[in-house]
Amino acid sequence: MILHSNLRNLVVGVEEKVPLINGSSVTYINFDNAATTPPLHAVMDEIINFAPWYSSIHRGTGYKSLLSSDIYEEGRDVIKSFVNADHQKDVVIYTKNTTESINLLSYVLAEKDDKQVILASDMEHLANDLPWRDKFTIDYVTIDKNGMFSLEDLEMKLKKYRGRVKTVAVAGASNVTGYKNPIHKIARLAHQHGAKILVDGAQLAPHSPIDMKDHASPEHIDYLVFSAHKMYAPFGIGVLIGPQETFERQEPFCKGGGAVELVSHQFIEWSLSPHKEEAGTPNVMGVVALTAAIRTLMSIGMNVIDQYEQELIHYTIQKLTSIPDLRLYCCAEKNEDRLGIISFALPGIHHELLAKMLSYEGGIAVRSGLFCAHPYVEKLLGLTPKKLTYYQQQPDIPFPGLVRLSLGFYNNSNEIDLFIDLLSEIAQNKQAYKEKYQSEC
């Protein structure tokens, strides 16, 4: 077990200094982990160690090619173990990222039947919304007054469509509010009505345990997607996990070498999945990085990471509630089970300007805007269709949004205190800071 005090040492770049607007420099504080995380030392070491042995995979007979092929294929088993996928029935398909994974699945599941329905939710990232729109009838499970997923509305809509719902596509956790969705309860409801469930695990996988459960379980997760770049592993790879039988009928989304057994001008014999879905030269470096990251996360313990980040986020929420005028968009109840994500607004300072102030004044990285979850943030902000039309027709007027802080397991309470001090100072001296940035930025 790795102690909390040592977690920071596992991550590259945590002590790097960055310049401030006044000419000095400070140690960078990264609170933008929901967008992407810095790499682990173990990941970079594994990449460097593997680089001399890197070679093209599959069909090569040279030693390096055989070694690379074995590492590439063994990565699938590491990933399955990480989320408790079925090693016989499920396949792991390598993609570029979560977005490509969902686009691929939407293509595979699409049928020439306009009666098929996808149920997404009002809190989804655009990656789990837009790919479904042109292939299915799509409807959205509503959120409650706190912005949380409504199980009651899900059940109502499943009954409404009378078996026409093909898949319930839902985030494992929100990238805006940090709410964890009850994915196994959602799975049970979906299966009761003959539907499958896709979990977008991009936010959940780096921070909390995921259990896909046995295929015979009513709470089984049929499809799961996530990205390496949010799991301390750059090099551009994501995964789509699901039952092999799903991918047997459709032609591949991307066609080319590596996806076939034999081709002539008269016929095409496609490979079996997962290879059928991985045309072209595979990203073996990405697999090396992801598997190294997973092994490190598992050595820490996903429950340990989850508990530590929850302690840190509740500490942060407690501090934030003491700042005058600050509005939080993340708290349904005290000490709830959640990810280390907080979104907030400071009336009187536009979200983009506030994010810049935190960066330029304190070297603190946060995200601002709509976080690629536009409908969700628009609902949280109470933007009516009339207001949305107004902003769409007035592109020169800054669009409303939020500021988001998102934690990783390497962040600590000292960083939180520095952030709170600066944010409090800005809140107490809004006009002075706004005048400063009007002249200097």
Side-chain angles (χ1 to χ4, degrees):
M1 187 70 66
I2 299 174
L3 298 176
H4 291 163
S5 58
N6 295 327
L7 292 178
R8 194 168 175 84
N9 297 329
L10 301 178
V11 180
V12 175
V14 293
E15 301 302 330
E16 293 295 321
K17 292 188 179 296
V18 295
L20 301 181
I21 197 168
N22 63 9
S24 66
S25 61
V26 296
T27 301
Y28 190 64
I29 297 176
N30 183 34
F31 289 154
D32 195 17
N33 294 283
T36 195
T37 52
L40 295 168
H41 283 291
V43 168
M44 301 309 297
D45 291 344
E46 198 68 23
I47 288 292
I48 291 170
N49 292 337
F50 172 70
W53 306 96
Y54 170 76
S55 183
S56 62
I57 69 168
H58 299 152
R59 297 176 303 282
T61 57
Y63 181 81
K64 290 185 179 183
S65 182
L66 295 174
L67 179 65
S68 296
S69 299
D70 287 344
I71 289 172
Y72 185 82
E73 293 302 326
E74 288 167 4
R76 302 188 205 270
D77 290 327
V78 174
I79 293 164
K80 288 180 184 179
S81 296
F82 180 58
V83 296
N84 194 29
D86 190 297
H87 283 262
Q88 278 70 51
K89 296 179 181 178
D90 289 327
V91 292
V92 172
I93 296 168
Y94 294 124
T95 63
K96 293 198 299 289
N97 46 44
T98 300
T99 300
E100 185 176 70
S101 294
I102 298 174
N103 273 272
L104 169 57
L105 184 62
S106 72
Y107 169 84
V108 171
L109 295 181
E111 298 178 4
K112 294 180 180 179
D113 181 358
D114 59 6
K115 295 181 179 180
Q116 291 289 309
V117 177
I118 294 291
L119 286 183
S121 84
D122 283 339
M123 68 163 53
E124 298 309 309
H125 190 285
L126 295 179
N128 200 23
D129 178 356
L130 302 183
W132 306 108
R133 292 193 185 188
D134 63 342
K135 304 176 187 70
F136 296 88
T137 297
I138 186 168
D139 201 352
Y140 300 94
V141 177
T142 60
I143 54 175
D144 66 17
K145 61 184 176 62
N146 294 309
M148 300 184 79
F149 185 95
S150 172
L151 285 170
E152 293 77 11
D153 191 60
L154 169 64
E155 186 170 18
M156 185 186 73
K157 284 186 167 66
L158 286 166
K159 290 178 179 178
K160 169 187 173 182
Y161 287 107
R162 301 176 180 271
R164 288 170 51 203
V165 176
K166 194 175 187 77
T167 304
V168 177
V170 63
S174 168
N175 74 317
V176 177
T177 54
Y179 293 143
K180 291 181 183 177
N181 282 323
I183 56 176
H184 292 114
K185 291 181 180 179
I186 294 170
R188 181 181 287 271
L189 277 172
H191 294 148
Q192 286 174 359
H193 293 269
K196 305 289 188 184
I197 178 176
L198 159 70
V199 171
D200 173 358
Q203 296 299 330
L204 197 61
H207 305 287
S208 184
I210 298 178
D211 184 357
M212 292 187 71
K213 294 188 178 290
D214 186 85
H215 279 238
S217 169
E219 296 183 344
H220 169 63
I221 304 301
D222 300 284
Y223 307 104
L224 175 66
V225 295
F226 55 86
S227 295
H229 76 96
K230 297 184 191 293
M231 299 176 64
Y232 308 94
F235 302 100
I237 201 160
V239 298
L240 163 59
I241 307 171
Q244 183 163 19
E245 63 183 10
T246 296
F247 306 95
E248 289 176 349
R249 297 181 300 275
Q250 278 277 18
E251 290 189 357
F253 180 56
C254 181
K255 301 176 176 66
V260 299
E261 293 296 325
L262 186 65
V263 175
S264 74
H265 288 306
Q266 288 74 42
F267 63 83
I268 304 172
E269 182 181 347
W270 299 108
S271 297
L272 296 176
S273 289
H275 305 296
K276 177 166 69 74
E277 314 301 336
E278 297 174 353
T281 301
N283 181 7
V284 63
M285 283 291 194
V287 175
V288 170
L290 177 55
T291 54
I294 286 175
R295 290 188 175 105
T296 300
L297 293 175
M298 293 180 75
S299 72
I300 300 169
M302 292 308 300
N303 284 312
V304 173
I305 291 172
D306 190 21
Q307 181 181 352
Y308 173 70
E309 291 183 358
Q310 292 215 41
E311 291 172 359
L312 194 58
I313 199 66
H314 290 304
Y315 174 81
T316 307
I317 291 171
Q318 181 184 6
K319 294 282 188 178
L320 284 169
T321 55
S322 68
I323 298 177
D325 296 334
L326 195 75
R327 296 178 185 173
L328 298 181
Y329 293 80
C330 62
C331 304
E333 57 190 54
K334 189 175 182 180
N335 296 328
E336 62 198 347
D337 184 22
R338 57 178 305 111
L339 294 188
I341 295 175
I342 300 172
S343 289
F344 58 88
L346 185 59
I349 301 181
H350 189 260
H351 57 89
E352 185 177 358
L353 181 59
L354 181 56
K356 288 180 178 179
M357 289 176 181
L358 291 168
S359 176
Y360 299 167
E361 299 286 337
I364 300 170
V366 294
R367 178 85 27 164
S368 71
L370 303 175
F371 318 123
C372 293
H374 295 206
Y376 188 33
V377 178
E378 290 160 3
K379 286 180 179 292
L380 291 175
L381 291 171
L383 297 178
T384 63
K386 183 177 180 180
K387 287 182 180 178
L388 290 171
T389 300
Y390 169 78
Y391 282 113
Q392 184 186 28
Q393 294 175 349
Q394 305 290 333
D396 294 334
I397 297 177
F399 198 87
L402 298 174
V403 176
R404 182 186 70 192
L405 175 150
S406 53
L407 302 173
F409 69 73
Y410 63 93
N411 292 124
N412 58 43
S413 58
N414 180 59
E415 293 178 312
I416 297 297
D417 291 342
L418 292 170
F419 160 74
I420 293 295
D421 288 345
L422 178 54
L423 186 58
S424 298
E425 183 182 334
I426 294 171
Q428 293 168 15
N429 300 279
K430 290 181 187 177
Q431 192 59 36
Y433 273 94
K434 288 173 69 174
E435 290 175 359
K436 176 182 179 179
Y437 278 80
Q438 285 174 354
S439 61
E440 294 192 15
C441 298

